[in-house]
Amino acid sequence: MKKIICLMISLLLTFTMCACSDKNGEQSDKTNDKVQSTVEYPVPEEVTFEKSENNLGARYTFTLQEFNDKLNVACKNIGTDSTQEFFDFTNWQIMSSELVDDNGIEYSSYYYPTDTLTITAAVENESNKVMNLGCGNTYEEFVNSDAEYQYTVMLTSAILAMVAGGYTEDDLEFLYDIFFDAAKNNVQFFYQNSVYMMNLSKAEGEEGSVVLFMTSPCKEKIKQEWELTDYSDFEGSYRQKSK
């Protein structure tokens, strides 16, 4: 368990501190632009991020306690059995409280274990606001599980992104498609001032590896610095379904 926690901290550090270096091919041309104009992409109903001095330039407007409360309301409204319906805030456990990002912002990492998966969160120490969220499990369990389990992990990630990003239940399929395409194509996406990605730490020998589907608000500049692919320009699952 300690090894898994250390790897989760490593993933949170990677997501919070490191710029992504993989370059993606050009996804838009005249044909794609024409198709894009016919596709209606969801827009958040409320703004849930604000400016921050952290290295992503943004954080959520809520604390971990407030997010936990919002998540409970959303799960109750959805009535899904694909994730725990009620989350007890006291079950959040701290991984580390002495982390520092590239801009010198101190933050803490937390995780919430369930029977099937683990939810993670990074929280600024001074503001007490959430910086990023993740959902996943060991690499081995995820890749060796059936499609239904993998769907559960990505759907739960979509629910987290829905709650955190100010979306509605009608947008769940869209958010699921982002995470599905991130995993299928190994692409890190930018959409509506947020990052969506699959973060992987695969230890040598495959023991104790972790895969997390992560999201965080960010400033527009991160799109260029991290060379992120704008999901609205990507010929992915959502666009294919909307043709």
Side-chain angles (χ1 to χ4, degrees), residues 64-65 68-69 71-72 84-93 111-114:
L64 189 58
Q65 172 77 72
N68 189 89
D69 295 343
L71 184 58
N72 279 331
Q84 281 189 236
E85 188 173 1
F86 297 102
F87 291 84
D88 184 347
F89 182 70
T90 62
N91 286 340
W92 283 95
Q93 301 177 41
Y111 69 101
Y112 192 111
T114 74

Side-chain angles (χ1 to χ4, degrees), residues 33-52:
D33 290 340
K34 185 177 181 180
V35 173
Q36 180 183 353
S37 65
T38 67
V39 178
E40 184 176 349
Y41 287 85
V43 176
E45 284 201 335
E46 61 176 313
V47 177
T48 59
F49 66 91
E50 61 190 19
K51 184 179 179 181
S52 172

Side-chain angles (χ1 to χ4, degrees), residues 52 56 69 77 106 115 117 134 138 155 193 201 223 236 239:
S52 172
L56 290 179
D69 295 343
N77 291 338
E106 297 179 352
D115 292 339
L117 49 81
T138 65
L155 177 61
N193 292 100
S201 177
K223 179 180 178 182
R239 181 180 288 188

Side-chain angles (χ1 to χ4, degrees), residues 51-228:
K51 184 179 179 181
S52 172
E53 295 302 317
N54 66 42
N55 73 313
L56 290 179
R59 65 192 178 211
Y60 290 114
T61 57
F62 46 76
T63 65
L64 189 58
Q65 172 77 72
E66 291 168 338
F67 172 73
N68 189 89
D69 295 343
K70 290 174 179 287
L71 184 58
N72 279 331
V73 172
C75 289
K76 182 177 181 180
N77 291 338
I78 294 169
T80 178
D81 59 0
S82 297
T83 184
Q84 281 189 236
E85 188 173 1
F86 297 102
F87 291 84
D88 184 347
F89 182 70
T90 62
N91 286 340
W92 283 95
Q93 301 177 41
I94 194 163
M95 289 189 278
S96 176
S97 60
E98 300 178 348
L99 302 172
V100 182
D101 77 358
D102 284 345
N103 284 7
I105 299 300
E106 297 179 352
Y107 67 98
S108 301
S109 56
Y110 295 82
Y111 69 101
Y112 192 111
T114 74
D115 292 339
T116 56
L117 49 81
T118 298
I119 298 171
T120 65
V123 179
E124 290 184 352
N125 290 348
E126 183 175 352
S127 70
N128 207 31
K129 301 290 183 67
V130 176
M131 297 168 63
N132 65 57
L133 294 161
C135 178
N137 207 330
T138 65
Y139 173 83
E140 296 73 35
E141 182 167 356
F142 183 80
V143 299
N144 293 322
S145 296
D146 57 24
E148 182 178 357
Y149 175 77
Q150 294 176 357
Y151 170 80
T152 297
V153 173
M154 286 185 282
L155 177 61
T156 305
S157 303
I159 293 172
L160 301 180
M162 177 194 76
V163 174
Y167 292 91
T168 70
E169 298 168 22
D170 293 335
D171 304 324
L172 265 181
E173 183 177 4
F174 168 77
L175 295 167
Y176 170 86
D177 285 344
I178 292 183
F179 286 118
F180 176 84
D181 287 333
K184 179 182 178 181
N185 301 283
N186 192 27
V187 177
Q188 296 152 337
F189 292 114
F190 175 91
Y191 184 76
Q192 291 289 328
N193 292 100
S194 290
V195 180
Y196 297 87
M197 62 192 294
M198 182 184 76
N199 211 337
L200 172 66
S201 177
K202 186 171 180 292
E204 187 175 352
E206 298 188 355
E207 182 180 354
S209 307
V210 171
V211 57
L212 290 175
F213 292 89
M214 305 188 72
T215 187
S216 175
C218 67
K219 58 185 178 182
E220 178 78 22
K221 187 178 179 181
I222 295 297
K223 179 180 178 182
Q224 285 74 42
E225 291 181 353
W226 287 26
E227 298 180 303
L228 300 174

